Amino acid sequence: MTSSSELPVDRLAIGQILGRLLYQFRSELFDSAEADGRFRDIRFAHLQVWGNIGIEGIRLTDLAAKAHLSLAACSELVDELQELGYLKRQPDPSDGRAKLLFPTAKGREVLDAAGLAVADLEQRWREQLPPGTFDRACHTFNDLIGALASEDKFSRP
């Protein structure tokens, strides 16, 4: 077993790298949304929902698991976004007792704007590194996610 004294000293630990990059990513995305002006009522905490909602409909329990949030926290964020007109609940056709969450037209505007902002952000980050480095890093982390998922380690909350 590796001890903490054996961690590399020429870089941050992987948790710090991932945590800092995720915070930087969300901060830049949030700043982009604020600058857009149409979405000033979205809070930073809502990004956890936006990054996992999709457009095909999702149950609250599945969204909470996918977003790595407690059901209560996810429910609160979804309720806020519904009150703001970004999300709607509709009956699940496969189970009339359950509801599915969907973005409204206003919510689709957020997702479309976020897609453009992410593309811009990736390009700016790509330009910070030698050619090919950013894309190789993305592919490497994507491969790691796939490997961990195949071991059923990625699905843990």
Side-chain angles (χ1 to χ4, degrees):
M1 176 173 262
T2 304
S3 72
S4 62
S5 65
E6 297 176 70
L7 288 172
V9 294
D10 61 336
R11 65 167 173 80
L12 296 172
I14 188 67
Q16 291 174 323
I17 291 170
L18 297 174
R20 289 180 188 191
L21 283 174
L22 180 58
Y23 183 79
Q24 182 68 32
F25 173 82
R26 286 185 176 161
S27 294
E28 290 187 34
L29 198 58
F30 189 72
D31 290 347
S32 175
E34 279 196 326
D36 182 291
R38 294 179 290 170
F39 314 116
R40 292 186 188 270
D41 51 357
I42 291 177
R43 295 187 307 115
F44 192 84
H46 293 144
L47 296 181
Q48 192 70 5
V49 170
W50 287 119
N52 294 286
I53 192 78
I55 59 169
E56 63 281 345
I58 189 169
R59 289 184 181 184
L60 181 63
T61 53
D62 295 333
L63 177 61
K66 191 175 175 184
H68 301 282
L69 293 169
S70 70
L71 188 57
C74 190
S75 180
E76 182 179 325
L77 293 171
V78 165
D79 287 347
E80 289 175 8
L81 289 168
Q82 186 175 7
E83 288 174 23
L84 293 169
Y86 291 108
L87 297 179
K88 61 184 173 185
R89 288 179 166 95
Q90 294 182 305
D92 183 340
S94 68
D95 180 354
R97 300 167 296 165
K99 300 280 188 199
L100 293 176
L101 299 164
F102 292 91
T104 62
K106 186 177 175 182
R108 293 292 296 262
E109 286 181 36
V110 169
L111 292 173
D112 290 345
L116 293 172
V118 168
D120 180 59
L121 185 147
E122 284 196 14
Q123 183 57 39
R124 285 187 288 110
W125 285 15
R126 185 176 286 111
E127 291 168 359
Q128 297 297 312
L129 300 169
T133 304
F134 178 82
D135 293 312
R136 279 193 305 276
C138 289
H139 286 288
T140 298
F141 283 123
N142 197 63
D143 291 347
L144 180 58
I145 288 168
L148 295 175
S150 70
E151 294 177 11
D152 197 32
K153 291 180 181 177
F154 188 73
S155 61
R156 291 183 198 160

